Amino acid sequence: MAGQFGLDPVAITLRAREAYGPGGSLALPLTAGWPIFPFETDGLRMTHLRDPVLPEPPRNGESAEDCSTCRLPDDDFAWTDERWLVSMPAEPMSLPGVVLHSRAHLDFGDLDDEQAAEMGVRLIRIQRALAAIEGVGRVHVYKWGDGGAHLHIFVVARPVGMIQLKGMFLTTWMHALPPLDPLTWAAIRRHVGTALGA
Ligand SMILES: [Zn+2]
């Protein structure tokens, strides 16, 4: 299935299995030696690499008709305008995190140049809104799109000084740390809506 410079997922999988060590798995990744790696490595091992699934199963909301984002009323979002939506759950999370969505049922690669430019402006505004919160050290942006089909880009604030949370594992820590207190969360949510409205 791969062209001269394409990816062959079956070959990648087989090569990886051939690289299994005596323990029957791949060696831990280089990141396991980084100071930000969030797990103790004693006894840690890579999971078995499963077969590729082709064609891939559909994501949530592949069509606008069964898309939960498209069905949400504007009141459920922290901020909206004619073409963009910003969500922040009412229930506290461990760290301030907001999600930028297009109002139209689009995926990342569907944006035309004008929409892409609008997206960039809104991401920077969200970054500034989160960076203005006391105690925020840095603001991170990440986009996967493997779970839900409707465009959604995450923006997350890392607390200042918590340098152990730097980088890619912030998303792991987010799910491990306890939630912020509800009053703080609600105030941050209001702040984001106000900041973006200006
Ligand atoms: Zn949608």
Side-chain angles (χ1 to χ4, degrees):
M1 62 172 289
Q4 282 186 323
F5 48 85
L7 298 182
D8 183 340
V10 173
I12 290 170
T13 303
L14 292 176
R15 282 190 66 209
R17 289 176 184 163
E18 286 165 7
Y20 277 10
S25 62
L26 287 168
L28 291 179
L30 285 177
T31 48
W34 292 5
I36 59 170
F37 193 64
F39 301 100
E40 296 289 341
T41 53
D42 286 350
L44 189 66
R45 52 181 289 184
M46 296 295 293
T47 194
H48 175 64
L49 190 60
R50 301 184 194 105
D51 289 335
V53 178
L54 297 167
E56 293 196 12
R59 301 170 296 177
N60 295 320
E62 286 287 3
S63 69
E65 291 71 39
D66 58 12
C67 173
S68 57
T69 304
C70 282
R71 280 202 298 266
L72 287 176
D74 276 15
D75 285 350
D76 282 14
F77 292 90
W79 177 89
T80 64
D81 72 3
E82 305 78 37
R83 285 149 69 112
W84 297 90
L85 311 164
V86 170
S87 66
M88 192 171 170
E91 283 293 305
M93 295 162 56
S94 62
L95 297 173
V98 306
V99 186
L100 176 67
H101 320 254
S102 52
R103 184 180 282 282
H105 185 81
L106 298 171
D107 203 346
F108 194 65
D110 299 329
L111 300 184
D112 61 25
D113 285 358
E114 185 184 351
Q115 291 164 326
E118 287 181 6
M119 177 187 68
V121 169
R122 275 148 189 82
L123 283 174
I124 296 298
R125 287 179 185 166
I126 294 170
Q127 126 84 33
R128 289 189 186 126
L130 291 180
I133 297 168
E134 187 180 349
V136 169
R138 188 156 288 117
V139 178
H140 297 301
V141 177
Y142 65 102
K143 175 266 172 199
W144 305 116
D146 272 339
H150 191 127
L151 173 61
H152 57 292
I153 302 170
F154 299 92
V155 188
V156 181
R158 174 177 63 74
V160 67
M162 295 186 76
I163 59 174
Q164 191 182 7
L165 274 57
K166 278 187 170 188
M168 69 175 85
F169 297 111
L170 180 70
T171 57
T172 301
W173 280 107
M174 271 184 71
H175 293 288
L177 295 169
L180 294 172
D181 76 84
L183 287 179
T184 299
W185 184 262
I188 291 173
R189 196 173 187 272
R190 281 195 303 276
H191 160 75
V192 168
T194 304
L196 293 178

